[in-house]
Structure formats: structure tokens, C-alpha cells
Amino acid sequence: MSFLRKTPLTLLRAFEAAGRGGSFAAAAKELDLSPSAISHAIRKLEETLKVRLFQRSTREIELTKEGAVLLEHIQRGFDEMQRGFALVTADEARPLRLHTAPSFAHQWLLPRLGAFVKQHPQIDLRLSASTEYVRFEQEDFDLDIVYGEPRPSPYEKIPLAVEELTPLCTPELAETIRQPEDLYHQTLIQCDVQLYQWKGWFEANHLTPPRHYGLRFDRSFMAIAAAVDGLGVVLESKLLAERELQSGKLVCPLIATTQEIHYIGHYLVFPRHQHQHYALDIFKNWLLEQLNLAQLR
């Protein structure tokens, strides 16, 4: 209790921001202070506690063991205070703001969103989709579903599912595809932003990649739609094409005779402790449960 009496909240905020972001400069920008003010606040906190909280070098800072322990407990305390403020100011009603990769939203999330809304009518969910990464300190989002390995950041990241890439086409077109070499005579649909493309699939199956592709798109949901319309064969994730496969609009003509490509396609990203929305864990747990059920099918 004596340390709390001696330690202003401003020092704790400076320490929490610097420890979370791993940078005095980033903490200064977040709190609208100068880097020297952050450094002074940290030094004053260390003097009060008589404990070294950061290892400093000319280019970076790193939490000591004691600093990491203190950061975890301070963040828990800030979370509890934020929840208390929310309860007494009716802030619990503010929307949960989700940003997501466009094709994941269109192909997988939106068909399930009705079930989430029905289960949790008290949660006001706002959804936005683009290929950009969210910068949580500057942008108004609580969660981000990104395609591909997220860039290095202080945020929490959770891999969502191991996806399987395989050729997909209509049942009618599949009648003409009996072996992998038959693909050389088909229009191949490619998504240019995909992590693994036709070239990688052909090489994984010990085949020479073709030089020409008939159709190219910059979104998976457009490539899948083109395949449904019978325009060619698309190399796509069975997770994203789940509805089309279940309805029989698309089939996997070579699934029994070729090698699929397995990879983690999407990640859930969110700040570790900074003012987390009360419904963040509810949505996260629902999302992981739905993905687990999808992979068991």
C-alpha cells in the first residue's frame, strides 16, 4: 500500500505504455509527451521501487524480469479500472469494432455472423474489411483478422486455422479432369494476393508449372465466384470455399491423387491489455469454436 501512495498514476501509465510497446518514443507519442518525459518518469519509478525495470541500450529498451512481472500486474489493474469506468458510465454499450481481411469476411465470417448476433444480442458489432493492417493506437478497432503472418508488433496474435489449398471447379468441369496433367488444358484461375499460388502447387506435386493463367483476381472471393460460374479451375482454401463445397457448386477433382498445400492462412490480432472491450473474449472464443467445428467437418 505504501508504494501506491508514493507512486503517481502518471508514472504507471508511462511505464505501462513503454513496456507494452517496447519503446520510449512510442509511449511518448501515445501519451502525448516527450521521450525525455517518459524516460524521466521511468527513472523516477525505478528510484521509488529501488528496482531496475528496463535494460537500456542506445537503440532499444527491454524489460527486466522484475519489469515484466510488474507490467503484467499493472495491466491487470488498468483492465479492472477500465471495466469499472465502463460499468458506471454505460460504456459497456459501445460497439465491438472488428476489422477483417475481405475474403475471410465474405466467404466464411458473414454466413455465421447471424448465429453470433442471435447468441449475443447485447453486443453491438461493427465490421469493416480491407487488406490494410490495423494500427490500434491510431484507429478505432478492437480486433483484426489478417491474412498471412502478421508483421512484428506488440500485439497479441492467434493463428486461426490450418487451411488446405487444392484445385476446385464445378462438377461438370471435374468430369474432364482425371489426372493432374489434365490441368494443362484448363483455364487456371489465380488469386494474385494468395500466399501460395499455382506455381507452388505444381511444384509440390512434382509437375512443371504452366506459363499462362487464364484469369487473375486480387480477391479470393472473386476467384471462387469465377470458378462457381464455370470459368475455370481455381486453387483455393477449402475453408474459404466451404459453402460452395457443401452445396456441391464446387468439388475437389484431384483431392485423392495430389498433394494439398497446408498453411496457416489467417490470424486474430488485438492489443494485449490496452482498454480491451468487454466483449473481446466472447467474440474470440466464439470465433475459435466455429473454426474448430469447421475443421472437424
Side-chain angles (χ1 to χ4, degrees):
M1 189 69 179
S2 59
F3 280 125
L4 283 177
R5 288 173 181 164
K6 289 191 267 182
T7 308
L9 184 61
T10 52
L11 302 189
L12 300 181
R13 290 183 66 209
F15 168 69
E16 191 277 334
R20 169 167 40 82
S23 164
F24 286 174
K29 186 175 182 180
E30 179 182 327
L31 299 178
D32 198 22
L33 297 170
S34 67
S36 62
I38 296 293
S39 180
H40 177 74
I42 301 294
R43 190 173 294 109
K44 188 171 182 180
L45 181 60
E46 290 177 325
E47 291 171 355
T48 301
L49 299 176
K50 294 181 173 55
V51 171
R52 191 174 183 84
L53 301 174
F54 288 99
Q55 296 288 350
R56 298 166 175 83
S57 68
T58 54
R59 293 187 177 180
E60 59 183 21
I61 60 171
E62 185 177 348
L63 284 164
T64 62
K65 182 176 68 175
E66 294 79 7
V69 170
L70 182 62
L71 177 65
E72 180 181 351
H73 284 79
I74 286 177
Q75 287 177 327
R76 288 180 190 171
F78 280 178
D79 282 348
E80 286 303 310
M81 285 192 289
Q82 181 66 23
R83 189 176 293 275
F85 290 138
L87 288 172
V88 299
T89 61
D91 190 42
E92 291 281 17
R94 77 173 176 87
L96 179 67
R97 298 151 303 188
L98 172 65
H99 182 271
T100 177
S103 291
F104 185 87
H106 186 277
Q107 290 295 123
W108 192 90
L109 183 58
L110 287 178
R112 291 171 167 80
L113 215 50
F116 177 82
V117 172
K118 188 174 182 179
Q119 291 174 29
H120 305 284
Q122 79 282 7
I123 298 175
D124 182 5
L125 184 64
R126 305 286 174 86
L127 192 147
S128 178
S130 77
T131 57
E132 302 298 320
Y133 287 104
V134 165
R135 293 175 296 175
F136 291 101
E137 286 76 17
Q138 288 84 37
E139 299 181 67
D140 211 18
F141 291 105
D142 299 295
L143 295 154
D144 191 13
I145 298 174
V146 305
Y147 179 62
E149 176 77 25
R151 61 190 176 190
S153 76
Y155 309 137
E156 193 79 31
K157 67 175 183 180
I158 299 175
L160 291 183
V162 177
E163 300 183 36
E164 302 167 341
L165 282 181
T166 192
L168 308 175
C169 65
T170 61
E172 294 76 18
L173 199 55
E175 292 295 324
T176 66
I177 303 172
R178 301 298 183 184
Q179 55 188 357
E181 289 78 6
D182 292 334
L183 292 175
Y184 292 127
H185 309 293
Q186 301 292 336
T187 298
L188 300 182
I189 302 170
Q190 181 154 291
C191 181
D192 286 337
V193 298
Q194 206 169 52
L195 292 175
Y196 296 94
Q197 301 185 355
W198 274 114
K199 182 176 184 293
W201 183 88
F202 275 98
E203 289 174 348
N205 285 277
H206 311 292
L207 296 167
T208 302
R211 295 182 178 180
H212 176 71
Y213 300 94
L215 285 171
R216 305 171 80 108
F217 297 93
D218 66 354
R219 295 289 182 272
S220 284
F221 69 84
M222 292 192 290
I224 292 171
V228 169
D229 286 340
L231 300 183
V233 184
V234 67
L235 179 69
E236 258 303 339
S237 163
K238 291 196 292 185
L239 181 73
L240 293 187
E242 183 182 63
R243 282 186 303 167
E244 290 79 6
L245 289 168
Q246 288 179 351
S247 67
K249 292 179 180 178
L250 292 178
V251 296
C252 310
L254 299 170
I255 192 70
T257 58
T258 58
Q259 180 71 40
E260 298 175 333
I261 294 177
H262 296 79
Y263 73 113
I264 297 174
H266 294 83
Y267 291 77
L268 181 66
V269 180
F270 54 92
R272 282 192 167 90
H273 287 279
Q274 186 190 20
H275 311 314
Q276 282 189 356
H277 193 286
Y278 81 99
L280 188 150
D281 282 338
I282 295 174
F283 183 85
K284 178 187 72 174
N285 293 336
W286 172 84
L287 179 67
L288 295 174
E289 179 185 7
Q290 292 297 312
L291 283 161
N292 186 53
L293 289 173
Q295 292 201 302
L296 291 176
R297 291 193 184 103

